Amino acid sequence: MARWWERLLGRRPAEMRGTTQDWVDAVLAAQEAGFLRTTMGTLDEEQVGATLSGLVKSNGPMWALTMARMQVFSQARFQWTRFTRGEVGDLFGSPDLAVLERPWPGGTTADLLARMDLDVTAAGNSYTRRLRRGRTSRLVRLRPDWVTIILGSTEDADHPAEAADVELLGYAYMPRGSRGDRMVILEPDEVCHFAPYPDPDQVFLGMSWATPVVKDVLGDQLQTDHKRAFLRNAATPNGLIKFDASVTLEQVKEFKELFEAEHQGAANAYKTLFLGGGADMTVIGKDFQQLDFAVTQGKAESRLAAAAGVPPSWVGFSEGLQGSALNAGNFTSARRRFGDGTLQHLWANAAASLEVILTPPDERASLWFATRGMPFLAMDAQDQAAVQSQEASTIVTLVKDGFTHASAVDAVINRDWTRLQPHTDEQGRPLMSVQLQPPMSSDDQNTSGDDGSDPDDGDGEPGPAPAGGGT
C-alpha cells in the first residue's frame, strides 16, 4: 500500500495520534479535496475481544500444551530462500535478518517466537511492530487486545468489512482501549500480524486454537474444583444423616457443628465416626473410583491436545501414556505428526507474516524457516543411518551413470534432479556411463577389420600389442 498516511495527515505513521473518528473525517476530507480518490471511502474495524490468558495461566492442561508448542516452535530460525518450481532452494542470510536474531535488547529469535505463539494461544492473534530509529531498528510486541485492524471499502458504505473490495488499511494501537491521544496508527508494512488460525466470522482476525474447546477447559476446572471439595470433605463421598423424629432442631444443629469440627477436612480423614442415638448415616455420593474420574478427566485432556495439534503422549497426558501409545513406532509417528503437521504450518505462517516488516535482498527472495540441528526433528539413529545409506547408494549410482560427483551429491542433498551435471569431454560431449570414455566415432568403428579380425596384431586386446610380442 502506498504511504498515503503522511500525505493525508502530514505526519509520519509513528506520530499519528487521534481518535478513529478523526481518522475517518480526515479520509473523507481528503477524498473531497480530490487527491485521495483511489483509497478506501469508508472504514470499519476488527478487534480481539476477551482473551483466554486467564485460562492459560490457571489451567494445568492448557499451560502444558502451551509449553509443549512453545518449546519446539521457538527453536526455529529464519533465512531467505528462492523457490524453484514450488520447492525451497538454498537458504542464505542478509543483514536485515539481524532484527529477528536480536529483536530487542537481550532478546533472541526464540524469545520472539515464544511471544508470538503465546499470544496466538491466548488471543488468536500476535502483533509485532518494527520500530525504526535512524539506522537502528528493533521489534516491539503489541498486546493483541489493544490492537484494532482498520478495514476500508469504496463499495459498501454501511458494512465495509462485508464489501467485495474490503482492504486492510492499517492498525490502530490503543493502550487499555483508549481512543484518545494515546492511539497510534500503524501501516500494514510496520506490523507483523501472525494469525495461523483464521476466525471464520472475521476477515483478517484469527482465533485461538483453544476457542472451540473452551467448554472442555472449563469442565477440567470444575473437575479440579471437585477434587478439592472431595478432599475438604475428608476424602469421603457425600453422606445423608437421618435423625429420629424425637430429636429437636437445636440438637441437630449442635450435632452438625460438632460433626463438622471433628470430621470435615483432609486432616480429619479416616477418623472413626461415632453417631448418637437416633442418627443414621447413609452414603449418597460416589468416590473417584466409582466416578471413573481418571478416565473422565483424561478424555477432556485428549480433546484439548487434539485442538492444540499436540500428541497427548508428547505432553505426558494420561491418555497418551497407556497401551501402545508409548511403543517406539507409535511415539515416533506422533512426534512426526506434530512436526510435519502443526509445526510446519506454524513456521511457514510465521515466516510469511514476519516477511512483511523485512526488506528482501531481491524480488525472488522469500523468508523461510531453518530447522537444522533441532533435536526434536532429528530422526532416530536407525532411521538416519538407513536414509544415509540409501543416499550414498544413490550417489554412487549416479556417478557410475556418468554424472559428476559434486552434482550428484548436490542433487541428492537438495532432492532436485535438475542439479545433475554429466561428465563431458573437451568438446562438450557427454561421456559414456561406467567407463566414462568418449563415445566411438564412425571413423573409429571403420578401423576394425571387415572380417572381424583384431586389427591390433592379433593379441586379442584393442590397442597396440605389448612390447616384445608377449601374450
Side-chain angles (χ1 to χ4, degrees):
M1 173 183 289
R3 289 181 173 269
W4 55 272
W5 302 110
E6 183 177 4
R7 184 181 180 187
L8 173 61
L9 300 179
R11 299 189 295 273
R12 295 294 300 165
E15 301 172 351
M16 296 177 189
R17 300 178 182 273
T19 64
T20 305
Q21 187 58 49
D22 294 336
W23 190 18
V24 174
D25 294 341
V27 172
L28 297 180
Q31 287 183 323
E32 293 177 359
F35 70 86
L36 195 60
R37 298 184 182 278
T38 59
T39 56
M40 298 295 98
T42 56
L43 303 176
D44 204 344
E45 62 185 42
E46 292 181 343
Q47 187 175 20
V48 173
T51 68
L52 303 177
S53 58
L55 290 179
V56 172
K57 293 187 290 186
S58 63
N59 184 265
M62 275 283 293
W63 182 248
L65 291 168
T66 301
M67 288 294 98
R69 287 166 51 100
M70 185 187 303
Q71 288 171 352
V72 185
F73 178 70
S74 62
Q75 295 180 29
R77 301 171 304 280
F78 293 98
Q79 295 276 280
W80 297 106
T81 188
R82 298 182 182 90
F83 288 93
T84 303
R85 296 185 300 277
E87 295 288 338
V88 177
D90 296 333
L91 300 178
F92 60 95
S94 74
D96 202 43
L97 293 180
V99 73
L100 300 184
E101 298 167 357
R102 292 292 184 269
W104 49 76
T108 63
T109 305
D111 298 320
L112 171 64
L113 292 178
R115 275 292 182 180
M116 291 173 63
D117 190 62
L118 182 60
D119 284 343
V120 166
T121 297
N125 299 265
S126 169
Y127 300 97
T128 305
R129 176 190 182 188
R130 184 168 187 177
L131 187 63
R132 302 176 187 267
R133 290 290 185 267
R135 295 183 178 181
T136 63
S137 64
R138 62 185 177 92
L139 301 184
V140 180
R141 176 251 182 185
L142 304 178
R143 184 165 157 171
D145 55 340
W146 291 354
V147 177
T148 299
I149 302 176
I150 306 299
L151 309 177
S153 170
T154 57
E155 297 180 353
D156 193 336
D158 297 324
H159 306 93
E162 301 175 5
D165 67 336
V166 61
E167 183 176 341
L168 171 66
L169 293 184
Y171 301 89
Y173 178 66
M174 297 175 285
R176 302 187 184 279
S178 172
R179 291 179 177 264
D181 294 337
R182 299 184 65 191
M183 184 176 76
V184 179
I185 304 300
L186 303 172
E187 291 192 54
D189 61 357
E190 292 182 279
V191 178
C192 161
H193 181 197
F194 179 49
Y197 308 111
D199 189 330
D201 298 325
Q202 303 294 338
V203 181
F204 292 98
L205 273 180
M207 71 175 188
S208 168
W209 57 262
T211 299
V213 290
V214 167
K215 293 183 179 180
D216 293 275
V217 178
L218 297 177
D220 184 85
Q221 294 280 67
L222 293 176
Q223 292 187 76
T224 302
D225 294 339
H226 177 80
K227 288 190 294 186
R228 295 175 57 192
F230 185 79
L231 295 175
R232 283 198 302 266
N233 195 42
T236 58
N238 297 331
L240 171 66
I241 301 180
K242 297 181 292 185
F243 294 91
D244 189 83
S246 60
V247 180
T248 65
L249 179 60
E250 292 298 327
Q251 291 175 327
V252 172
K253 290 182 178 180
E254 292 178 2
F255 177 84
K256 177 178 179 295
E257 182 178 354
L258 177 62
F259 181 86
E260 291 179 347
E262 293 292 333
H263 295 281
Q264 192 173 45
N268 295 321
Y270 312 114
K271 287 185 177 180
T272 304
L273 178 63
F274 298 94
L275 298 177
D280 182 17
M281 183 172 183
T282 303
V283 176
I284 60 174
K286 296 182 181 295
D287 58 23
F288 287 154
Q289 183 176 6
Q290 292 170 328
L291 288 173
D292 210 356
F293 192 83
V295 174
T296 303
Q297 194 169 37
K299 295 296 184 183
E301 292 174 349
S302 297
R303 289 167 64 91
L304 296 179
V310 182
S313 57
W314 181 255
V315 193
F317 286 164
S318 59
E319 287 293 309
L321 302 178
Q322 298 177 1
S324 61
L326 291 182
N327 291 347
N330 292 339
F331 188 81
T332 300
S333 298
R335 182 184 61 182
R336 288 176 177 170
R337 181 260 174 267
F338 184 32
D340 297 343
T342 303
L343 293 174
Q344 293 286 331
H345 165 69
L346 293 177
W347 284 326
N349 198 298
S353 302
L354 288 168
E355 185 180 335
V356 174
I357 58 176
L358 299 175
T359 303
D362 57 64
E363 295 181 354
R364 291 186 54 204
S366 300
L367 191 65
W368 199 245
F369 56 92
T371 58
R372 197 172 202 179
M374 288 181 54
F376 179 82
L377 296 182
M379 292 181 292
D380 294 337
Q382 184 176 359
D383 292 341
Q384 186 174 9
V387 171
Q388 291 177 341
S389 176
Q390 185 176 5
E391 289 179 343
S393 177
T394 302
I395 292 174
V396 171
T397 301
L398 292 173
V399 172
K400 288 183 177 180
D401 285 344
F403 297 101
T404 63
H405 180 271
S407 68
V409 173
D410 187 38
V412 170
I413 292 178
N414 293 279
R415 295 176 174 82
D416 184 1
W417 300 117
T418 61
R419 296 172 181 251
L420 291 173
Q421 297 293 330
H423 281 283
T424 56
D425 59 13
E426 296 179 354
Q427 299 178 0
R429 296 178 300 176
L431 297 178
M432 298 291 291
S433 63
V434 183
Q435 296 87 358
L436 301 181
Q437 297 295 326
M440 296 181 62
S441 64
S442 57
D443 295 337
D444 295 334
Q445 295 176 356
N446 292 333
T447 58
S448 61
D450 294 337
D451 57 357
S453 61
D454 182 11
D456 292 330
D457 300 326
D459 63 352
E461 296 291 337
T471 59

